[in-house]
Each structure stands twice: as structure tokens, then as C-alpha cells.
Amino acid sequence: MTVLRAVLCDMDGTLVDSEKLWDVAMEALYDRLGGVLTPEVRAATVGGCAENTMRIVYDDLGLPPDPAAMAASARWLHDYTGELFDAGLPWCDGAQDLLEALAAAAVPTALVTNTPRMLAERALGSIGRHYFSAVVCGDEVPAGKPAPDPYLRAAQLLELDPRWCLAVEDSPTGAAAAEAAGCPVLVVPNALPVPGGARRHQVTSLRGLGLADLHQICVRLADSQPASAGNPRDPS
């Protein structure tokens, strides 16, 4: 029985160590808006979609929640971050080796990110779009992470049940989204600690993880979910 059918990977902080670049961009946005970014606010925005991030920022700064102004700030933030991305994105430990192994074994792999498409495309120029059978971005679904929509869309594009798609995430926001979609979740914490859970397996990095490890993790997490008539354990 093969349980693992696909791997759904987050981007920022999971595949590439770009959260530090987002730190720089967020600090620049706060400077532009006349405020100072606190660690607490930055932590609240990690892994979030553009709408939620701007809502947090504007509330923190006491600015009127004007949709046009918030959208303009989001565009400025993404343009600024895009310039940082263009200078090169460093891989997270073991991420490229894992993508190479998945590609060599022809395991369907999707990129599932809250980052808007225009910025994700710039990142893919550095990461390599050839690794991915599908790409789902935060501005292409009704609601971004922590809603399950991005992961549900990725599974739909791959024509697979989310229960047999192992999600790889680094943040509480992303892990919550994947879990809500019904995916087993491999958690690789980066900027923030991530709570544990029955459908989550935590590692310190992706270094040394191979296909056999991913299969084993997926099987164990699938077995942790009670079987029912509408939720069989064996997808075959």
C-alpha cells in the first residue's frame, strides 16, 4: 500500500530562508508608515496572507482600515520584497536535496504559498519551477492560510485526496491551514515555534530526509486519524 501520493510545500521559511528578507521589508514598511515594528507584531504576521498582514499592521499603527490604502501598502511591501528576492534566495537546510529526490522519484509536488503570484514567480526564478507540478498562491484562492483553501486547491489541481498529500510547513499559520485541509503535516519550525498535534510530525530541518522517511511519516500520521466509512485509511 502506498499512502504518500504527493508533497505540498510551503515556500517562505520552509524551502527558502526568506523570512529574514520579509523582516527587512516589514521594517521598511513600518518606517514608511511612521511606526516601529515590534517582535510581537512581526510574529503575528509570519506566514499570513496579505489581507491579514495589512489588517494587523494598520490596527497596530492606529491607521484607518481604508481598503485602498491597505492594498497600496501591500503592493509596496511586495515590490520591496521582490527586489530582495531578486538578489537571491538562500535554501533552507536540506530543502533542495529533498526537492531533487522528489523529482527523481516522480512524486507530484506542489508549491503552496500565501505569497502573491507576482512575487512567487520571482521566487521561482531562484528556486526552480521545474520542481513543481502545481503552484498555488495566496491571491488565487478565496482565503489564504490559515484557511484550508490553498491546500485544498493544490490537492484539487493534483487530483488527489488531501489525506494522502504530505504538507511541509514551518509556521503555526501554515500548519493550521494544512491540517484544516485534511493533510498530514511535516513541521520544520523556522522563525516561530509550532504547536504539536496528532496530525503533525516535527523535525529540526529537512536535511537527511528521504522518500522512505516521508512515507513513514505520512503512514504514521494517517494511522492517527480514526477510520470511518467515509474516511478509509487505505486510499488504494
Side-chain angles (χ1 to χ4, degrees):
M1 179 185 72
T2 301
V3 174
L4 177 65
R5 296 295 179 85
V7 176
L8 314 179
C9 293
D10 174 54
M11 183 175 75
D12 294 302
T14 300
L15 295 180
V16 290
D17 197 13
S18 51
E19 290 297 353
K20 296 179 181 64
L21 302 182
W22 282 103
D23 289 345
V24 173
M26 284 289 291
E27 287 174 359
L29 175 64
Y30 261 72
D31 185 63
R32 176 182 172 85
L33 296 176
V36 177
L37 178 64
T38 65
E40 293 76 18
V41 170
R42 176 63 187 116
T45 64
V46 170
C49 63
E51 287 185 6
N52 287 345
T53 295
M54 287 305 114
R55 198 173 295 120
I56 291 169
V57 168
Y58 271 59
D59 182 64
D60 177 52
L61 294 174
L63 297 173
D66 177 64
M70 294 167 75
S73 292
R75 286 193 299 271
W76 187 92
L77 177 67
H78 295 147
D79 287 344
Y80 191 100
T81 307
E83 293 178 6
L84 298 176
F85 278 16
D86 290 344
L89 289 167
W91 286 100
C92 288
D93 198 22
Q96 187 175 23
D97 289 341
L98 183 59
L99 288 179
E100 290 283 0
L102 292 169
V107 175
T109 304
L111 185 70
V112 186
T113 177
N114 260 348
T115 298
R117 171 65 68 168
M118 57 80 93
L119 190 52
E121 287 294 329
R122 293 170 77 163
L124 283 168
S126 175
I127 298 171
R129 66 188 70 248
H130 62 283
Y131 290 120
F132 306 107
S133 303
V135 176
V136 178
C137 298
D139 57 347
E140 299 173 337
V141 290
K145 305 173 191 179
D149 303 36
Y151 280 102
L152 292 173
R153 177 60 177 158
Q156 180 184 46
L157 289 173
L158 296 178
E159 299 182 339
L160 292 169
D161 191 313
R163 289 172 296 160
W164 318 119
C165 299
L166 181 66
V168 187
E169 274 284 354
D170 75 297
S171 71
T173 297
E179 195 170 53
C183 300
V185 191
L186 174 60
V187 180
V188 195
N190 189 319
L192 297 173
V194 180
R199 297 277 289 169
R200 302 178 183 186
H201 177 85
Q202 296 213 17
V203 294
T204 55
S205 83
L206 296 175
R207 179 175 290 279
L209 284 180
L211 291 180
D213 300 304
L214 299 189
H215 277 284
Q216 185 178 36
I217 291 167
C218 197
V219 169
R220 185 178 65 77
L221 295 179
D223 285 345
S224 72
Q225 181 171 324
S228 66
N231 180 27
R233 292 189 186 190
D234 186 347
S236 302

